[in-house]
Amino acid sequence: LPYYSAEFLNIWMNEDNDGIIDEFFEDIKGTLGGNEYYYAFFHEIKERFPDTVFYGTDVGHQFDTTGARYIKYLEDRGLTASENYTLAKQCIDQGERFCAENSESGISTLRENYMVSNFTEAYERCGSEKIMGIYGGYHTDMSNPEVMGARLRERYGDAVSGVQVSSLAIEVRPYKLGVCVSGIVFLLMLFVPNILWAKRKPIGYNEAVGKENRLLGAFERAGEVAVTAALVIFKDFDPAVRVFPNGIYFNMRVFFWVIAFALMILYEFYWIRYFRRGRTMKDFYGSFAGFPVAGATLPVLAAIILGIYSKNMILLAAAAMLGVGHIGIHLAHRRDELSGAEE
C-alpha cells in the first residue's frame, strides 16, 4: 500500500467505526484489492492483532483520492510541518511520476526503485524490528535482480525471506473428514474389475484358495476394510489444486497423486489383458508393465503413494496391512503355479 493508505489504516485501528476503511475501499473499488476478502482481512487483523502497525511502502496509488484526503486530514489538524505530511507528499509525487509512465501492467523499474527506498526508510523508522510485508509476487521474486525482493535480499542478506502466500491456500489436513471424490473413483477402479472377475475366475482358483495362509488372509481382509473406509471418509486425498483469478496453484506433492492414479490406470489395463486372454491362473498372477503380481502390487502401491501424498498415516498403515496380505497371497499362488508347471 502507499504511505497514506497505511496511515489511514493505523488511524482506523484505534477507532470504533468503519468510516475510514469504508472510504479507503471506495477508493480502490474496481481494483484487484477492492473485494470482500481483502476487507475481511483487515477486520480480522484489527480483531485478532490490535497492536499491528501498518507501513505503506508502495508508490502513490489513488493519490488523487486517498492521498488527497490524507493531506487534507493533516492540514485540518495543522500538521503540515510533520513528517507524515512530508512522506505523504513524497508518496503522491511518486504516484504521479509512476502514472506518467503509463505502465498499465504495474511493472516498472521506477516503481521498483521507489519501493526499495520506501521499504528501507520505513524499516529504519520502525526500528529495524522483525516485520512482515505483503506484496505482489512479482515484487518478491528473490531470483530477479531487478525487483524489490532480490534487491532487499542483497542489502539485508538472509534476514530477508519470502513465501508465496497463495501456497498457504493449499493447506495439508490429512485427517479432515468429508466425502472424498478421488477415493470413490479409486475404489470404483478397484471394485468394478473385481466384480466382473467374480464370474470369470481362472480355472483352478477355488482349489488354490483353500491353500491360502490364514494369517495373510486376515491381513488382506482387514487391509481391504481399512483402505476402503479411509479412502471414503478423508477428504484430503483429493488433488490440492486451487484456481485463483491470476492463475492455478498447486503443491508439488500433487505429482504423487498423479502417480497413484497412473498406477490405477495401469491396473485397469492389467484387467483388460486378463479378460482378453484365456483367464488362466498364469494370467491372473502374472506381471504387467514390469510390476510382479500386478493385480496386487499396483493397487497397493497406488494406495501407499496416495497416503504419502496426503500425509495420512491411517491410509499408509492400512495399505501396508493390505500389501502384506494381498501381495503375500498372490506371491504364494504364483509360486504354487510355477512349481506346478515345472512338475
Side-chain angles (χ1 to χ4, degrees), residues 202-323:
I203 298 172
Y205 176 78
N206 291 330
E207 293 79 2
V209 169
K211 302 176 184 179
E212 288 180 359
N213 182 290
R214 291 185 179 180
L215 180 59
L216 291 179
F219 271 103
E220 181 184 46
R221 285 187 290 276
E224 287 172 345
V225 172
V227 167
T228 300
L231 288 174
V232 171
I233 68 172
F234 293 122
K235 188 173 179 58
D236 256 25
F237 297 133
D238 285 329
V241 178
R242 301 289 184 268
V243 179
F244 297 112
N246 61 331
I248 299 175
Y249 292 88
F250 56 87
N251 191 297
M252 293 300 290
R253 290 185 305 104
V254 78
F255 289 108
F256 283 105
W257 183 91
V258 172
I259 293 171
F261 275 83
L263 290 173
M264 289 306 296
I265 291 173
L266 286 178
Y267 181 68
E268 301 307 304
F269 280 110
Y270 153 81
W271 278 111
I272 291 172
R273 186 189 70 173
Y274 170 80
F275 289 126
R276 292 182 63 181
R277 288 188 174 183
R279 300 195 295 272
T280 64
M281 292 286 279
K282 182 179 179 181
D283 294 326
F284 186 53
Y285 294 113
S287 300
F288 182 78
F291 293 91
V293 288
T297 55
L298 286 172
V300 169
L301 283 175
I304 289 173
I305 293 174
L306 206 57
I308 294 172
Y309 160 71
S310 62
K311 299 183 179 180
N312 188 302
M313 296 304 296
I314 294 176
L315 180 59
L316 283 171
M321 187 185 305
L322 176 62

Side-chain angles (χ1 to χ4, degrees), residues 101-112:
E101 282 194 336
N102 194 28
S103 177
E104 294 182 2
S105 66
I107 297 175
S108 160
T109 300
L110 178 67
R111 183 184 179 189
E112 296 303 314

Side-chain angles (χ1 to χ4, degrees), residues 56-67:
T57 60
D58 204 347
V59 297
H61 305 300
Q62 294 84 42
F63 61 82
D64 55 343
T65 52
T66 312

Side-chain angles (χ1 to χ4, degrees), residues 73-151:
Y73 173 89
L74 295 176
E75 289 175 343
D76 289 346
R77 288 158 178 76
L79 298 173
T80 56
S82 66
E83 181 184 48
N84 301 65
Y85 192 86
T86 301
L87 291 173
K89 281 288 191 179
Q90 174 183 295
C91 188
I92 289 173
D93 180 65
Q94 292 175 357
E96 291 175 338
R97 290 173 182 269
F98 169 66
C99 286
E101 282 194 336
N102 194 28
S103 177
E104 294 182 2
S105 66
I107 297 175
S108 160
T109 300
L110 178 67
R111 183 184 179 189
E112 296 303 314
N113 291 339
Y114 282 143
M115 290 178 74
V116 171
S117 61
N118 292 344
F119 184 99
T120 303
E121 291 173 8
Y123 188 46
E124 292 173 356
R125 285 200 308 276
C126 75
S128 300
E129 297 288 341
K130 188 173 183 179
I131 55 95
M132 179 185 71
I134 301 178
Y135 299 88
Y138 172 78
H139 306 294
T140 58
D141 186 351
M142 300 296 178
S143 63
N144 184 350
E146 302 297 322
V147 303
M148 181 187 70
R151 290 169 65 178

